[in-house]
C-alpha cells in the first residue's frame, strides 16, 4: 500500500532587518556583564599605576625637594624650577634636542617616505617583491642592533687620529687633511651624532610606510600612469594622500624618541665635549647619579615629560583637524 506524504507548503522566513546606522552590530546587554569587562582591563590598569603613575607622581614630588638619595627629601618649593629656567646647560640640552628632532624625525621621515615609495612602486613592480623586502630589511637592520654594539662600532669608525676608520679612509684617498676628532670636537660632535641617528632611525619609517602602501589600490597608479602622470606626480597625488595617517604616527613616535634619546649619547660622547651633545635625558641622568642632585634631576625629567605631553597633544590635534578637513572635502 502506497504511503501518501502530506503536502507541506514551504514558507520563507522573513529576512532580518538590517540594523540602522545608529544601531550597533553587537547587541548591548545593558548594565549586565560589564563587570567582566573591567576584570580584563584590571591587569593593565594595575601595571599602568605601578610602573607609570606612581613613579611619575614621586618624580614630580621630588622636583620640589632637595635630596641626595640618603637622608629624607627636604621640601624647598619652586627653587629647583627657578634654577632650571636659568640653567644654561638645560637650554643647551633643549637646543640639542631640536637638532635630534631634525636627525630622527624630519630627515628619516622624508627620506623614508621617498625610499618606501621607490621600493614599492618602482623596484617592487620591476624586480619583484623579494628584492624590495630584502632592501627594506637592510634599512631596518640598525634598529635591531643593541645600542652598545652600535656605539662601539660607530666609536671605532669615528675614533680620532690614525686609529679611526673614517680618518684612514680619508687618508687613503688623499684627503688626510680632512682627518678630524669627530666626536671630540665641539664643532663636529653634534653633527656626527646627527648622522649616526639618521642611519639608526631611517629603517623605522620605511617599514611603516611600506606596510601602509600595501593598502593602496594598484589600479590608481595604473590609471594615473595611463593619464600621463610621472612617478613624482603619482607620489605626490596618490601615495602621500593615502598614507597620511601613517605619516602622523611616524612623526609623533619619532619626535618622542628624539626628545628622550639617551643611549647613543651615553655610549658615544657622554654629553660632551662641554654641552655640545648634551640632551635633557642624559642631563637628568647625570644629575641623578653623577652629581647626586636627585631633586634637580627630577625637575629636569618632569620638564621633559611635560614637553613630550604637549608635543603629543599637538600632534594628535593636528591629525584630527586633518581628518576632519579630509572628511569635509577641503
Amino acid at each position: 500500500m502506497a504511503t501518501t506524504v502530506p503536502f507541506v507548503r514551504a514558507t520563507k522566513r522573513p529576512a532580518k532587518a538590517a540594523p540602522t546606522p545608529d544601531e550597533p552590530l553587537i547587541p548591548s546587554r545593558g548594565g549586565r556583564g560589564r563587570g567582566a569587562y573591567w576584570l580584563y582591563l584590571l591587569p593593565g590598569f594595575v601595571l599602568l599605576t605601578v610602573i607609570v603613575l606612581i613613579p611619575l607622581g614621586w618624580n614630580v614630588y621630588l622636583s620640589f625637594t632637595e635630596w641626595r638619595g640618603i637622608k629624607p627629601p627636604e621640601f624647598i618649593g619652586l627653587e629647583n624650577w627657578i634654577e632650571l629656567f636659568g640653567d644654561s646647560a638645560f637650554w643647551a640640552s633643549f637646543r640639542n634636542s631640536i637638532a635630534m628632532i631634525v636627525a630622527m624625525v624630519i630627515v628619516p621621515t622624508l627620506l623614508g617616505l621617498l625610499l618606501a615609495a621607490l621600493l614599492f612602486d618602482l623596484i617592487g613592480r620591476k624586480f619583484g617583491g623579494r628584492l624590495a623586502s630584502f632592501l627594506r630589511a637592510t634599512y631596518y637592520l640598525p634598529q635591531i642592533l643593541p645600542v652598545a654594539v652600535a656605539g662601539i662600532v660607530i666609536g671605532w669608525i669615528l675614533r680620532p687620529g690614525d686609529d679611526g676608520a673614517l680618518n684612514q679612509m680619508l687618508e687613503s684617498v688623499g684627503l688626510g687633511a680632512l682627518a678630524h676628532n669627530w666626536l671630540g670636537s665641539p664643532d663636529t660632535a653634534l653633527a656626527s651624532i646627527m648622522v649616526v641617528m639618521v642611519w639608526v632611525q631611517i629603517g623605522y619609517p620605511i617599514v611603516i610606510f611600506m606596510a601602509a602602501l600595501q593598502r593602496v589600490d594598484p589600479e590608481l597608479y595604473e590609471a594615473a600612469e595611463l593619464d600621463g602622470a610621472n612617478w613624482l606626480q603619482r607620489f605626490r597625488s596618490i601615495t602621500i594622500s593615502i598614507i597620511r595617517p601613517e605619516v602622523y604616527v611616524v612623526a609623533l613616535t619619532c619626535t618622542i624618541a628624539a626628545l628622550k634619546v639617551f643611549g647613543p649619547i651615553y655610549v658615544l660622547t657622554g654629553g660632551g665635549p662641554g654641552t655640545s651633545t648634551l640632551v635633557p635625558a642624559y642631563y637628568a641622568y647625570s644629575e641623578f647619579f653623577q652629581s647626586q642632585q636627585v631633586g634637580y634631576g627630577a625637575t629636569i625629567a618632569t620638564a621633559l615629560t611635560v614637553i613630550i605631553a604637549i608635543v603629543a597633544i599637538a600632534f594628535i590635534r593636528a591629525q584630527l583637524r586633518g581628518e576632519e578637513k579630509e572628511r569635509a572635502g577641503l
Side-chain angles (χ1 to χ4, degrees), residues 14-293:
K16 187 176 181 180
T20 61
D22 296 334
E23 182 181 351
L25 296 177
I26 301 177
S28 174
R29 297 183 178 179
R32 296 178 301 171
R34 290 187 178 179
Y37 300 153
W38 288 103
L39 289 177
Y40 286 103
L41 297 176
L42 185 60
F45 282 135
V46 171
L47 291 175
L48 177 67
T49 301
V50 173
I51 297 176
V52 177
L53 297 181
I54 292 178
L56 178 61
W58 177 246
N59 189 80
V60 173
Y61 166 72
L62 289 178
S63 68
F64 298 99
T65 66
E66 182 180 359
W67 189 35
R68 301 185 67 86
I70 300 175
K71 296 181 180 180
E74 179 183 353
F75 186 80
I76 58 174
L78 297 175
E79 291 185 15
N80 286 330
W81 290 96
I82 295 173
E83 182 181 355
L84 180 70
F85 285 110
D87 188 357
S88 59
F90 171 75
W91 292 112
S93 70
F94 188 74
R95 289 192 298 270
N96 293 336
S97 290
I98 297 176
M100 291 295 104
I101 290 175
V102 174
M104 297 179 64
V105 184
I106 298 176
V107 175
T109 301
L110 295 177
L111 287 180
L113 186 59
L114 181 62
L115 291 173
L118 287 171
L119 291 175
F120 182 82
D121 190 24
L122 290 182
I123 296 178
R125 291 171 60 184
K126 292 185 177 181
F127 302 99
R130 290 187 176 181
L131 179 60
S133 299
F134 172 77
L135 294 175
R136 177 184 59 188
T138 303
Y139 282 116
Y140 193 73
L141 181 61
Q143 283 278 318
I144 64 177
L145 289 177
V147 176
V149 174
I152 292 173
V153 174
I154 297 299
W156 170 71
I157 294 174
L158 301 179
R159 189 176 300 173
D162 296 334
D163 296 333
L166 179 57
N167 288 337
Q168 290 181 4
M169 291 174 60
L170 293 174
E171 185 71 30
S172 63
V173 296
L175 298 177
L178 298 179
H180 194 69
N181 187 0
W182 301 101
L183 294 176
S185 173
D187 299 329
T188 57
L190 183 60
S192 301
I193 293 293
M194 291 175 67
V195 172
V196 172
M197 296 315 300
V198 170
W199 170 71
V200 170
Q201 196 70 16
I202 195 171
Y204 170 68
I206 289 177
V207 170
I208 298 298
F209 293 150
M210 287 193 69
L213 287 171
Q214 299 294 328
R215 58 185 175 84
V216 179
D217 189 355
E219 294 182 357
L220 294 176
Y221 289 116
E222 295 175 0
E225 193 172 0
L226 290 175
D227 290 338
N230 56 32
W231 182 86
L232 187 60
Q233 291 172 332
R234 299 197 304 270
F235 171 75
R236 184 177 62 252
S237 302
I238 299 176
T239 303
I240 295 179
S241 61
I242 291 180
I243 68 171
R244 187 179 292 115
E246 285 77 8
V247 174
Y248 278 109
V249 170
V250 168
L252 174 59
T253 54
C254 290
T255 301
I256 294 174
L259 288 173
K260 63 185 185 68
V261 64
F262 173 80
I265 303 298
Y266 175 81
V267 174
L268 292 173
T269 63
T275 59
S276 59
T277 61
L278 186 67
V279 291
Y282 187 85
Y283 191 27
Y285 160 81
S286 64
E287 291 296 317
F288 263 109
F289 299 104
Q290 296 176 357
S291 301
Q292 294 184 344
Q293 298 292 337

Side-chain angles (χ1 to χ4, degrees), residues 2-8:
T3 303
T4 59
V5 180
F7 174 73
V8 178

